[in-house]
Amino acid sequence: MTAHLKKVVSIAIIAMGLVSGYGFAAAASAPAKPGSVRYAGDLGPPQGAPIRAVLTSPPHVPPPTHRKVPAKVIVELEVIEKDMPISEGVSYTFWTFGGTVPGSFIRVRQGDTVEFHLKNHPSSKMPHNIDLHGVTGPGGGAASSFTAPGHESQFTFKALNEGLYVYHCATAPVGMHVANGMYGLILVEPPQGLSPVDHEYYVMQGDFYTTGKYREKGLQPFDMEKAIDEKPTYVLFNGAEGALTGDKALRAKTNEKIRLFIGNGGPNLVSSFHVIGAIFDKVRFEGGSNVQTNVQTTLIPAGGAAVVEYQTRVPGSYVMVDHSIFRAFNKGALAIMKVDGPENKAIYSGKEVDSVYLGDRDAPNLASVTTASANAANGTLTVLDQINAGKSLFNGTCSVCHQANGAGLAGVFPPLAKSDYLHADPKRAIGVVVHGMSGKVTVNGKDYDSVMPPMNQLNDDEIANILTYVLNAWDNKGGQIKASDVKAERAKKVSKPTAEH
Ligand SMILES: [Cu+2]
């Protein structure tokens, strides 16, 4: 190597070192004052009067800071323990940051000095604290923020790194505090801000552990054993089944830019976040500074986050799921963005058919189910209650195969409307639902030789209500199946009813 060439090479290496060493944050920093200690993300001392942070409840996001200089930002967050619905007719004692699950959304700018006040409501039974993943310092603030009921604590940090960060309670037993809903997101905007979009929304996944089964009614206590085994009863977006469906679906119009701040509180599961029918134009994966483009499903670790952007083109219901798909359809991890606007046949020809993906969850009409279970509990359950509850459960469970009008599908799914097999022995249908059915069966003179899977996800009340509805719908002969009948059938643990008769 000639002396000249050596020099060129070493200069190139120095230049590379400069570029990679400074990175994204420092490139955007103001020039250092002589003599001051500089590090990435320190944009100088706070300027102007202190600013009180705007906190929002999910799914809302505070407006951009629109600031060009670092400020002192005061955040006041209050811990409140309270009972809230986790599903229709099911409540749970949540521990919250700001009264919601997930907790209030916090938005600051890189370089801001954040004066954090954590209050613990006097009605709380537990002490709490906060660990913000956007804090540089031991415990992310946890050690400085331990707060007994009726007390307040304060600490200050400089937001050195831009990004989207999870915060959570870190009071022992940590898992239990997180499982009870104690998490949220803090966005540290880059100095230049984020690009403008039409809608920003805040959605956070979490897994929940109740002693009762999925959708078992009443106030459900936390189940530590299920939590340790990582076997959640519910996997939810924004802390409740139906938090973002029906009237509460996220809204947008066609040809709008959407930005979702998606977090995962855990405590246990990682999320395979996917929006059915949308492709993410951009994902800031793991909430960091790198952008991945054209993404179908993004992985969000427990205690992690992502910023997802896409453009709405075609109207309809876009279903957000954890693509570990049983969680979506059997544990509640399902939210909807309803997009309104004119069709765009060049991009998508079809007519919207919500029921393909939504079943009974589009506009959850489970009020009749709640009425039935409340009346069952106080001994006033009527056949009419059962029929009403059974109807809403049938649609979305059985109707997929037997059709909403009970007519079935020729050669594939036998009819339940005026079925001679059903009417010959109505109680036999309990076994069909509980254990499933396979082999040859003749219904109204036509042969079927197919498989019906066992409907294990339904409890005794639900099966009794569905079958009572079936017996009374479509000019069928009437009748009633009681939960006790279903219980007795389950207890028999017989083998599958074979169709031979
Ligand atoms: Cu806590």
Side-chain angles (χ1 to χ4, degrees):
M1 208 186 262
T2 65
H4 172 72
L5 203 67
K6 263 187 201 158
K7 200 174 165 193
V8 171
V9 170
S10 60
I11 287 170
I13 288 169
I14 290 166
M16 277 165 65
L18 279 176
V19 170
S20 60
Y22 272 63
F24 180 81
S29 302
K33 289 199 190 87
S36 65
V37 180
R38 294 303 314 257
Y39 32 86
D42 179 11
L43 310 185
Q47 298 180 33
I51 295 165
R52 197 165 283 271
V54 178
L55 304 187
T56 56
S57 297
H60 303 293
V61 176
T65 67
H66 290 308
R67 260 188 292 111
K68 297 280 170 274
V69 294
K72 176 173 174 178
V73 179
I74 299 167
V75 175
E76 293 198 48
L77 193 55
E78 183 171 38
V79 174
I80 302 163
E81 301 172 0
K82 64 182 201 184
D83 293 354
M84 292 191 286
I86 190 167
S87 181
E88 179 74 42
V90 191
S91 58
Y92 186 82
T93 307
F94 291 95
W95 299 348
T96 74
F97 285 108
T100 55
V101 176
S104 309
F105 196 106
I106 306 166
R107 186 170 194 152
V108 300
R109 178 178 175 270
Q110 188 182 20
D112 281 349
T113 297
V114 182
E115 183 183 294
F116 207 99
H117 298 252
L118 188 70
K119 297 177 188 174
N120 191 356
H121 196 271
S123 67
S124 294
K125 298 197 172 57
M126 297 285 159
H128 300 284
N129 65 10
I130 192 165
D131 167 354
L132 298 119
H133 292 179
V135 167
T136 305
S144 325
S145 60
F146 184 84
T147 312
H151 286 72
E152 175 178 340
S153 53
Q154 183 187 330
F155 65 100
T156 301
F157 67 93
K158 187 164 271 201
L160 294 180
N161 297 70
E162 61 113 345
L164 182 63
Y165 298 96
V166 168
Y167 66 78
H168 63 90
C169 182
T171 303
V174 177
M176 182 178 179
H177 285 251
V178 174
N180 284 343
M182 298 199 77
Y183 44 76
L185 291 179
I186 176 169
L187 173 67
V188 182
E189 288 180 353
Q192 73 279 16
L194 298 175
S195 62
V197 292
D198 297 298
H199 298 281
E200 290 185 329
Y201 287 117
Y202 171 25
V203 177
M204 211 164 170
Q205 184 172 320
D207 28 301
F208 295 87
Y209 304 82
T210 62
T211 51
K213 278 198 242 159
Y214 174 63
R215 288 189 176 174
E216 197 170 311
K217 307 297 175 206
L219 179 66
Q220 292 292 332
F222 169 69
D223 189 323
M224 189 65 158
E225 209 169 296
K226 279 190 193 168
I228 292 169
D229 292 345
E230 305 192 10
K231 290 199 168 128
T233 328
Y234 294 88
V235 181
L236 302 170
F237 293 121
N238 289 5
E241 190 164 28
L244 296 170
T245 62
D247 296 345
K248 291 184 236 151
L250 302 175
R251 305 301 295 233
K253 296 195 181 67
T254 47
N255 298 311
E256 287 189 321
K257 260 194 163 166
I258 311 297
R259 176 179 292 134
L260 303 177
F261 296 102
I262 306 284
N264 184 6
N268 288 320
L269 303 186
V270 303
S271 173
S272 302
F273 183 76
H274 176 77
V275 178
I276 299 172
I279 298 157
F280 305 146
D281 298 316
K282 285 187 201 164
V283 176
R284 284 177 54 146
F285 51 96
E286 296 173 6
S289 306
N290 285 341
V291 174
Q292 169 75 297
T293 54
N294 303 319
V295 176
Q296 58 194 301
T297 300
T298 191
L299 196 61
I300 308 178
V307 185
V308 160
E309 290 177 20
Y310 56 92
Q311 181 97 26
T312 56
R313 301 284 188 197
V314 180
S317 286
Y318 291 81
V319 185
M320 303 178 183
V321 295
D322 180 338
H323 216 295
S324 289
I325 210 77
F326 272 100
R327 299 176 188 170
F329 296 108
N330 299 80
K331 295 189 170 184
L334 190 149
I336 291 170
M337 173 168 283
K338 188 105 182 82
V339 176
D340 295 313
E343 296 282 351
N344 187 339
K345 302 279 186 202
I347 294 177
Y348 186 71
S349 68
K351 222 184 111 44
E352 181 189 357
V353 186
D354 282 354
S355 59
V356 171
Y357 271 119
L358 296 180
D360 64 342
R361 282 136 222 255
D362 180 20
N365 176 23
L366 296 174
S368 53
V369 178
T370 312
T371 309
S373 75
N375 290 351
N378 63 34
T380 61
L381 183 70
T382 65
V383 174
L384 192 63
D385 291 334
Q386 284 193 273
I387 292 173
N388 289 335
K391 183 175 183 180
S392 80
L393 292 164
F394 181 92
N395 292 316
T397 307
C398 321
S399 66
V400 190
C401 298
H402 294 287
Q403 306 301 301
N405 63 4
L409 218 62
V412 192
F413 303 121
L416 300 180
K418 306 196 189 83
S419 154
D420 57 359
Y421 180 87
L422 175 69
H423 286 106
D425 180 1
K427 285 203 177 171
R428 179 170 54 182
I430 302 171
V432 173
V433 176
V434 171
H435 307 294
M437 188 181 203
S438 58
K440 197 164 96 76
V441 60
T442 307
V443 182
N444 298 347
K446 297 215 171 79
D447 288 344
Y448 298 84
D449 189 358
S450 186
V451 178
M452 169 170 155
M455 304 273 124
N456 290 327
Q457 78 279 18
L458 300 170
N459 64 33
D460 294 351
D461 285 311
E462 290 169 332
I463 292 175
N465 295 343
I466 289 173
L467 288 175
T468 301
Y469 164 68
V470 166
L471 290 173
N472 290 278
W474 321 300
D475 293 330
N476 279 349
K477 289 189 183 147
Q480 184 184 19
I481 300 290
K482 296 189 170 155
S484 55
D485 299 330
V486 182
K487 196 172 174 196
E489 176 63 35
R490 257 193 235 274
K492 276 201 236 156
K493 294 218 190 297
V494 291
S495 54
K496 269 181 203 175
T498 52
E500 295 135 33
H501 58 289

